[in-house]
Amino acid sequence: IAGITQAPTSQILAAGRRMTLRCTQDMRHNAMYWYRQDLGLGLRLIHYSNTAGTTGKGEVPDGYSVSRANTDDFPLTLASAVPSQTSVYFCASSVGLAGNDEQFFGPGTRLTVL
Amino acid sequence: GQNIDQPTEMTATEGAIVQINCTYQTSGFNGLFWYQQHAGEAPTFLSYNVLDGLEEKGRFSSFLSRSKGYSYLLLKELQMKDSASYLCAVRDNDYKLSFGAGTTVTVRA
């Protein structure tokens, strides 16, 4: 693994189903983030984690949950998917709480909820 | 919260200069970032400003005025590969980023 990876690359999901998007980084970054990107709205923060064992809510957290059991992994779960959750999801990581705290983004997961 | 505005689209000719403006109104400010995103790809970091003034990095420069809530990204000697979306993002005091909707730049030959 080099950098940050996400799985799956894309997914079509029936409404009401449960889905977990996976994110793994090998840079030993403290902070990790989940964003969704919708046309005309830009990237919006869903949840974040400043360090393993802690999580926080972003701008649009409703319908999503996260966990951060270790430094490397930050899964995002949709408990019961709805069509409005159709979007491209990006996971990102950064060193955390630093000056030039550049975020590195994964390749994204394209999710369609029907 | 954060309110971040940038133009939706800009078009320029290969070899020219383009300036992308970003204005913001924030409840807390702890730095401003610019990211580049090619179609279908992930955003990648371009620049970071936390103090007023100009930061230059090769063909790209970024400017910040905190008192005016204003930044711009300057792209010089445009190349076809610079066709992409450019995202302005403001970091708050909790180190969370808020992004503008992005500016799509199209470079024409």
Side-chain angles (χ1 to χ4, degrees):
Chain A
I1 298 176
I4 183 165
T5 60
Q6 295 183 234
T9 302
S10 65
Q11 182 75 44
I12 299 174
L13 189 66
R17 297 297 295 269
R18 181 183 178 89
M19 175 73 190
T20 295
L21 308 185
R22 300 184 298 279
C23 175
T24 299
Q25 53 100 2
D26 66 354
M27 297 176 282
R28 308 305 295 172
H29 282 170
N30 291 311
M32 296 187 75
Y33 315 85
W34 274 106
Y35 296 91
R36 59 178 290 173
Q37 187 172 38
D38 303 289
L39 195 63
L41 294 177
L43 287 158
R44 292 181 292 168
L45 183 65
I46 304 171
H47 285 287
Y48 66 96
S49 169
N50 285 331
T51 188
T54 69
T55 62
K57 294 181 179 180
E59 181 185 354
V60 288
D62 294 344
Y64 306 95
S65 63
V66 292
S67 61
R68 186 88 185 278
N70 57 61
T71 298
D72 299 345
D73 302 300
F74 192 42
L76 176 74
T77 298
L78 288 68
S80 178
V82 295
S84 61
Q85 292 178 311
T86 293
S87 188
V88 180
Y89 291 85
F90 286 102
C91 180
S93 71
S94 69
V95 171
L97 303 180
N100 183 358
D101 191 30
E102 169 190 352
Q103 291 188 15
F104 295 82
F105 285 80
T109 294
R110 183 173 297 274
L111 182 67
T112 302
V113 182
L114 301 176
Chain B
Q2 319 283 33
N3 184 27
I4 301 166
D5 290 315
Q6 50 182 130
T8 303
E9 295 179 333
M10 302 183 74
T11 301
T13 305
E14 195 174 15
I17 298 173
V18 69
Q19 178 175 314
I20 306 169
N21 295 324
C22 172
T23 58
Y24 62 89
Q25 294 172 305
T26 64
S27 57
F29 180 84
N30 191 11
L32 188 142
F33 294 75
W34 284 95
Y35 283 80
Q36 180 190 58
Q37 185 177 25
H38 286 100
E41 297 183 7
T44 56
F45 169 80
L46 283 179
S47 70
Y48 165 72
N49 296 72
V50 67
L51 299 177
D52 291 351
L54 188 68
E55 293 284 341
E56 297 186 88
K57 188 185 294 185
R59 294 188 298 113
F60 293 1
S61 303
S62 57
F63 172 83
L64 174 67
S65 170
R66 289 172 296 171
S67 62
K68 295 182 179 178
Y70 169 69
S71 173
Y72 68 73
L73 179 69
L74 195 69
L75 286 62
K76 295 177 279 190
E77 301 170 15
L78 279 173
Q79 301 176 10
M80 299 300 289
K81 67 178 182 179
D82 297 330
S83 292
S85 286
Y86 293 85
L87 315 178
C88 174
V90 174
R91 184 171 65 189
D92 65 19
N93 293 326
D94 293 325
Y95 284 81
K96 299 194 301 292
L97 287 183
S98 293
F99 285 83
T103 299
T104 299
V105 172
T106 301
V107 181
R108 294 183 174 168

